[in-house]
Amino acid sequence: MQPKEAKQQSKRNFLKTSLLAGGGLLMGLNFLGTSCAKSAEMPKSIDDLDFQSFNAYLKIADNNTVSIYAPNPEIGQGVKTSMPMIIAEELDIPWENVIVVQAGLNSEYKRQVAGGSQSIRLGWKNLRKAGATAKLMLLTAAANKWNIPVEECVAKQGVITNKKGDSIKYGDVVNEAALLEIPKKAPLKKVEDFTLIGKGIKNVDVEKIVKGESLFGLDYQYDGMKYAMLQRPPFGAKLASFDATDAKKIKGVLTVVSFDDKVAVVAENTWAAMKGKEALKVEWKEIKKEESTAYHNKMMLAAFDKKGVEPMQSNGNFNVAVKNADKVIEQLYEAPFLPHNCMEPLNFFAHVTKNKILLVGPTQTPKNAAKMVAENLGRKEEEVEVQMTRMGGGFGRRLNTDFAEEAAYVSNLSSYPVKVIFTREDDMTSGVYRPSVKYKIKATIKGGELTGYTIHEAVINRGMWKGISKYFPNGAIDNYEVRSSAIECDTTIGWWRAPVTNFLGFAQESFLDDIATELKKDPIQFRLSLLEKAKGKKGIPYSPKRLQGVIKLVAEKGNWGKTEAGVYQGFAAYFSHNSYIAEIADIIIENNKPVVKKVTVAVDCGILINKSGAKNQIEGSVIDGIGHALYGNLEVKDGVAQVNNFDQYQLIRMKDTPIVSTHFIESTENPSGLGEPGLPPASVAVANAYKKATGKRITKQPMIKEIIT
Amino acid sequence: MPEYTLKVNNKLRTFNVEADTPLLWVLRDELNLVGTKYGCGIGQCGACTVHLNGIAIRSCSFPITDVIDQEITTIEGLSENADHPLQEAWIELDVPQCGYCQSGQIMTAAAFLKDNPAPSVVDIRNAMHGNICRCAAYNRIEKAVALAATKS
């Protein structure tokens, strides 16, 4: 999730021109410096228009319709709308003229990944450039027509004018403009001149969604397509044998294939595939007893007691702080595995043929899907074409490629074009969970000040300590240490919305709240004063000033400290995934349980791109964060997940949702993403409110289990 | 495989499936009405909600033999041009995030508003509680149902 590709931004852009069959020139502005890929297919409805391509991101037709490619995967985070908005802003065209087309995997785009809340942040520069260079070409074409310098021409909302009062539409100069050499540099708009960015623009697919049109991977159809369902081994176990006799008796079942300790039933329709999978008799071997939550917990707790775990980061001297301390406070925080439970169960289509592999479906990382499939089948990556569908949620699960690989294996072995479909039970038990994790935090207090802080992470499979030191309170405390112990297991883990911070934020902000109580300070004033100390410190990637900004804003908007009787407030603030968020939760206690009535959120994500989409992300991530912290729990026994559907796994529903009130800081800083950062502070704001209401500190998730027991 | 006829969105549709096939998979795989979504298969999430004689049901939990000769309405048949007050409210308030659960949400809300055209916030919250939105776009769903109630 690190922005590995960021340094490529500074690479000089290449120019490439090639002749189109239609006679016009296709100009490929190549942002990566690699060869120009062929342009993607346009949808049929706009096929008749005579488009000229200006770069990999946009085409303009002579009737002024602009087709903008949405380069990144859409999982509900809104980039299919917001990324084209940035291009349209610089191109300066009416949004009504824009048709957005989902791009496929194409090497001309910089980073076709939905992950880490990075699409907007890393796309910003290139998206602007794509619009601005095309605009300059159109201006130049108009200037040439009028025989005046280009500086005397102005473009606005798809119309070019000059001082003499002449005006011409983009569509009228598009053919000439597309013949011009692509400028290396084009002026970008000033932030204050933005007219589209910052507005609330509706999701480009909203009408199709409410009509129930085919958009998602599960909706995808292909001539002769078959349906496959798989039995997968428990974590760590192997396939011993299988008997497909009964499965093959099911009407509609075509064949049964096996690979990689998995068994797949291929059928004429979904229902036959489901029944065929159920009818399979599969024996597993080497089932591991230690793939169990009880054992995992034991190992994680043991990691804290292990002697000689060296700090991975150390500022000052924590041991000296302990020696000098008036008081040492310690707390353990614990979180379980969480499945992603995308509303659209995992699925993928593959058609493996002699010359080509076609992959279609919901993926957050089309490039990795192509790479893994090529590798597995011993084929070249160039033979793999990936088309992306809209995704019924991602939350990080579709950053893995297991389901696309399975589809390719099954298609390869069965020779059918095949869509692999996970049942909900398959989806929830297939692994790649938010890792179960524990944090032990210890702090020293001297003379009414927080003088030392040490955090030790014990986590299943992946040590994420590098993440820890990115975040507040690092920078604010003189003696600071980070340790990490990864427990290796066969239960698979992966990126889950707001990786690392989804529970790290809970642990750190719970702890700071208790420290504030210990020091008899107001929690908000305490955070503000800590951040004051962090100002100017080296090695912290966040701006203490911007974090203070959202804290002050939320205190004002959330009426901090001014509640009605029976309402308790909790506060939390967190910088994560490059955005700054502060939240205040208003709760009441009913039947000894917290009922979250309202969450006030202050957000600094730099320049706001799409106000409607941004608010939706904050509302969603806040409620999602609270829901999973309250209820989410997946335990494993002998390598098998102990819950497999929504009758056993509780997701937050409408009656339990607070009203979320969102406030943005006005900013001219470059934009950052919003898919994840709203989540980490949400559940801890609730936990802090619960502490205020009851005096009880919740240190374990799921919170509801702690509250009831 | 036996042949069945079903009245879906006011049209008679004929198809061959096994008798135990849930209505959901008939709609999706046989009739290509993919607006009705698969979410859990056990009636817990509401993504597959359709109307059976005007009543909201979970299509994943009804074998085809239970619904023949009855009227089915899916999201595709809710209105001619996405102009049902709920669809218009959903667009106006820009409700969806991923969008996957939304046809089920709208179908639940449509049956609910027919019975209770002037609901309170509590009524709306109770009525919509059975439909999961994993993106948690609940604030906007609630507002959109309320908005549609004022227009229908």
Side-chain angles (χ1 to χ4, degrees):
Chain A
M1 308 280 264
Q2 293 306 307
K4 277 184 210 155
E5 299 92 337
K7 59 180 180 289
Q8 290 178 327
Q9 275 185 323
S10 60
K11 266 192 186 173
R12 287 192 62 169
N13 297 320
F14 286 20
L15 299 182
K16 264 216 156 190
T17 59
S18 62
L19 269 171
L20 267 182
L25 268 177
L26 173 93
M27 319 281 274
L29 174 53
N30 190 333
F31 288 121
L32 276 177
T34 53
S35 64
C36 230
K38 64 180 189 297
S39 60
E41 293 286 314
M42 300 301 293
K44 274 179 190 152
S45 55
I46 52 170
D47 248 0
D48 306 339
L49 295 174
D50 193 12
F51 278 103
Q52 292 290 352
S53 180
F54 281 76
N55 54 53
Y57 292 89
L58 70 102
K59 294 179 178 199
I60 306 173
D62 56 8
N63 77 340
N64 298 301
T65 300
V66 180
S67 173
I68 298 182
Y69 287 95
N72 282 21
E74 174 62 58
I75 54 177
Q77 84 283 43
V79 293
K80 192 172 174 184
T81 308
S82 54
M83 292 180 95
M85 277 175 73
I86 298 168
I87 297 170
E89 176 70 69
E90 288 293 349
L91 184 60
D92 215 322
I93 38 161
W95 184 246
E96 296 72 40
N97 291 14
V98 174
I99 294 167
V100 174
V101 178
Q102 176 67 58
L105 176 61
N106 181 336
S107 62
E108 287 196 55
Y109 301 117
K110 197 169 71 77
R111 179 186 179 269
Q112 285 184 285
V113 175
S117 303
Q118 299 277 38
S119 294
I120 292 294
R121 193 175 83 88
L122 298 178
W124 177 239
K125 201 171 153 189
N126 278 348
L127 295 167
R128 293 183 78 185
K129 201 169 184 177
T133 50
K135 184 174 77 181
L136 184 56
M137 289 159 77
L138 292 158
L139 281 165
T140 307
N144 291 347
K145 204 167 217 160
W146 292 327
N147 206 18
I148 56 171
V150 68
E151 291 76 20
E152 289 178 18
C153 299
V154 178
K156 202 174 178 185
Q157 291 296 287
V159 179
I160 300 164
T161 53
N162 65 25
K163 284 175 185 167
K164 287 190 287 179
D166 302 319
S167 84
I168 194 162
K169 286 180 178 171
Y170 284 4
D172 297 328
V173 290
V174 70
N175 292 323
E176 293 87 339
L179 288 168
L180 296 169
E181 194 173 310
I182 296 167
K184 281 181 184 155
K185 261 192 169 179
L188 298 175
K189 278 187 175 179
K190 288 182 187 144
V191 173
E192 57 266 32
D193 293 336
F194 288 160
T195 55
L196 183 63
I197 285 176
K199 276 193 180 168
I201 297 294
K202 291 178 176 65
N203 177 340
V204 292
D205 284 335
V206 65
E207 202 171 313
K208 287 179 182 163
I209 288 168
V210 303
K211 281 177 167 173
E213 286 186 16
S214 170
L215 280 167
F216 300 93
L218 269 187
D219 305 340
Y220 179 76
Q221 292 288 332
Y222 188 88
D223 263 356
M225 183 178 87
K226 308 302 178 196
Y227 300 78
M229 289 221 176
L230 277 73
Q231 284 215 23
R232 301 170 181 85
F235 302 119
K238 301 255 182 270
L239 176 67
S241 63
F242 69 93
D243 177 357
T245 318
D246 289 348
K248 285 180 177 167
K249 282 181 194 159
I250 306 279
K251 276 187 189 152
V253 169
L254 297 163
T255 185
V256 175
V257 297
S258 176
F259 59 94
D260 224 6
D261 292 307
K262 297 171 183 178
V263 187
V265 174
V266 183
E268 286 288 356
N269 57 56
T270 315
W271 185 239
M274 268 185 194
K275 287 202 292 180
K277 182 202 146 196
E278 290 304 314
L280 274 179
K281 292 193 182 81
V282 182
E283 298 288 334
W284 310 109
K285 61 181 180 185
E286 296 171 39
I287 289 171
K288 292 183 180 169
K289 292 272 171 213
E290 57 269 32
E291 283 312 319
S292 298
T293 296
Y295 183 78
H296 291 160
N297 283 336
K298 200 174 114 187
M299 294 303 287
M300 282 190 276
L301 289 172
F304 293 131
D305 298 330
K306 217 171 167 184
K307 293 256 156 30
V309 180
E310 287 299 312
M312 290 160 137
Q313 186 181 331
S314 180
N315 306 342
N317 190 325
F318 185 76
N319 289 336
V320 172
V322 171
K323 270 180 206 157
N324 296 335
D326 299 332
K327 192 168 185 180
V328 179
I329 298 172
E330 186 179 299
Q331 189 58 265
L332 174 68
Y333 301 90
E334 302 174 80
F337 286 120
L338 292 181
H340 297 75
N341 279 328
C342 302
M343 212 64 230
E344 178 192 14
L346 297 171
N347 67 89
F348 225 80
F349 170 82
H351 191 201
V352 179
T353 54
K354 214 172 149 192
N355 303 317
K356 193 184 156 186
I357 297 172
L358 175 63
L359 297 177
V360 185
T363 172
Q364 290 180 245
T365 171
K367 171 91 179 149
N368 281 353
K371 188 176 156 247
M372 291 308 296
V373 164
E375 217 173 279
N376 293 345
L377 301 186
R379 303 282 291 261
K380 287 183 191 135
E381 217 175 305
E382 301 82 69
E383 292 176 89
V384 186
E385 179 187 340
V386 187
Q387 293 173 17
M388 292 183 272
T389 61
R390 191 178 178 85
M391 278 170 265
F395 311 105
R397 179 62 181 90
R398 298 189 223 264
L399 281 166
N400 290 73
T401 55
D402 51 328
F403 42 89
E405 294 173 54
E406 286 177 356
Y409 273 124
V410 177
S411 176
N412 192 45
L413 288 167
S414 68
S415 302
Y416 290 115
V418 161
K419 180 152 54 177
V420 161
I421 298 175
F422 286 53
T423 60
R424 174 56 58 195
E425 290 82 0
D426 295 336
D427 188 288
M428 213 180 288
T429 58
S430 71
V432 190
Y433 303 127
R434 187 280 299 275
S436 180
V437 60
K438 299 185 196 297
Y439 293 106
K440 192 174 249 188
I441 311 181
K442 207 189 273 189
T444 58
I445 289 166
K446 167 85 178 167
E449 297 287 328
L450 177 56
T451 53
Y453 186 99
T454 177
I455 179 165
H456 189 163
E457 169 191 72
V459 60
I460 298 299
N461 284 342
R462 187 179 288 154
M464 297 188 178
W465 70 273
K466 276 185 182 169
I468 296 172
S469 53
K470 277 192 204 169
Y471 307 111
F472 179 67
N474 185 16
I477 303 159
D478 294 335
N479 304 294
Y480 174 90
E481 278 179 357
V482 176
R483 285 179 177 77
S484 180
S485 305
I487 317 297
E488 278 185 30
C489 295
D490 285 314
T491 304
T492 52
I493 61 103
W495 308 108
W496 193 98
R497 194 177 199 173
V500 194
T501 58
N502 55 45
F503 191 67
L504 178 65
F506 182 90
Q508 301 215 106
E509 283 291 287
S510 296
F511 194 74
L512 284 182
D513 219 61
D514 284 350
I515 298 280
T517 307
E518 176 69 31
L519 298 176
K520 298 187 173 57
K521 289 180 178 171
D522 172 75
I524 286 188
Q525 289 308 320
F526 178 57
R527 258 62 152 231
L528 289 173
S529 63
L530 277 180
L531 283 161
E532 207 53 39
K533 285 185 197 162
K535 282 181 181 170
K537 288 275 163 63
K538 279 181 187 168
I540 52 166
Y542 66 91
S543 153
K545 197 180 161 199
R546 290 178 73 184
L547 194 49
Q548 284 179 331
V550 290
I551 292 173
K552 287 173 189 167
L553 183 62
V554 85
E556 179 206 327
K557 299 289 183 187
N559 294 314
W560 177 246
K562 294 170 221 155
T563 51
E564 291 170 31
V567 177
Y568 301 90
Q569 288 188 319
F571 163 83
Y574 218 61
F575 160 83
S576 68
H577 313 280
N578 303 293
S579 292
Y580 301 80
I581 313 273
E583 300 180 16
I584 290 173
D586 288 14
I587 71 162
I588 59 169
I589 303 292
E590 263 178 20
N591 305 321
N592 298 321
K593 286 184 203 161
V595 176
V596 190
K597 302 301 280 185
K598 183 181 159 191
V599 180
T600 309
V601 188
V603 180
D604 181 352
C605 57
I607 294 163
L608 187 60
I609 308 298
N610 181 1
K611 199 169 188 178
S612 178
K615 275 194 166 179
N616 220 350
Q617 284 309 298
I618 293 298
E619 289 165 13
S621 56
V622 166
I623 298 168
D624 184 11
I626 291 170
H628 276 91
L630 278 172
Y631 312 120
N633 187 23
L634 184 141
E635 298 191 353
V636 177
K637 197 169 176 239
D638 302 339
V640 178
Q642 297 300 293
V643 288
N644 66 19
N645 208 324
F646 298 136
D647 53 342
Q648 303 150 17
Y649 187 94
Q650 189 175 355
L651 284 168
I652 195 162
R653 291 170 183 264
M654 190 177 271
K655 277 199 277 186
D656 303 328
T657 59
I659 297 300
V660 180
S661 165
T662 310
H663 307 272
F664 294 96
I665 296 262
E666 271 191 44
S667 172
T668 54
E669 299 273 350
N670 285 345
S672 48
L674 281 181
E676 296 166 313
L679 187 143
S683 59
V684 60
V686 173
N688 289 344
Y690 184 77
K691 170 85 189 291
K692 202 181 276 179
T694 65
K696 190 180 170 192
R697 168 58 61 193
I698 303 168
T699 59
K700 261 190 196 179
Q701 290 183 2
M703 284 159 57
I704 206 74
K705 204 172 153 189
E706 286 299 286
I707 288 161
I708 292 166
T709 50
Chain B
M1 279 190 279
E3 186 179 280
Y4 297 98
T5 299
L6 202 61
K7 197 174 181 188
V8 184
N9 300 332
N10 280 321
K11 274 182 212 153
L12 286 175
R13 306 286 298 263
T14 303
F15 46 88
N16 293 84
V17 294
E18 288 298 306
D20 60 353
T21 308
L23 173 61
L24 168 68
W25 297 113
V26 171
L27 295 171
R28 290 189 56 86
D29 287 356
E30 306 302 321
L31 307 181
N32 200 26
L33 292 166
V34 295
T36 305
K37 302 300 187 196
Y38 167 61
C40 70
I42 58 166
Q44 287 285 324
C45 75
C48 68
T49 305
V50 299
H51 295 174
L52 174 68
N53 306 321
I55 294 162
I57 61 149
R58 303 292 161 84
S59 64
C60 71
S61 304
F62 281 74
I64 194 66
T65 45
D66 284 4
V67 297
I68 43 171
D69 300 329
Q70 300 183 67
E71 286 199 26
I72 305 291
T73 307
T74 70
I75 186 75
E76 291 90 344
L78 187 64
S79 67
E80 282 290 317
N81 303 301
D83 54 1
H84 185 283
L86 280 161
Q87 287 167 312
E88 287 180 342
W90 242 253
I91 293 169
E92 189 176 329
L93 297 180
D94 193 23
V95 171
Q97 289 181 36
C98 86
Y100 190 79
C101 73
Q102 301 296 345
S103 37
Q105 302 273 0
I106 291 170
M107 294 310 283
T108 297
F112 162 65
L113 286 185
K114 231 188 260 174
D115 287 345
N116 185 351
S120 67
V121 167
V122 174
D123 293 341
I124 293 172
R125 287 192 153 220
N126 285 334
M128 301 307 293
H129 194 68
N131 285 65
I132 295 172
C133 174
R134 174 65 182 85
C135 302
Y138 294 118
N139 279 190
R140 289 192 186 188
I141 293 168
E142 183 184 322
K143 282 183 196 154
V145 176
L147 176 65
T150 66
K151 289 185 173 178
S152 47

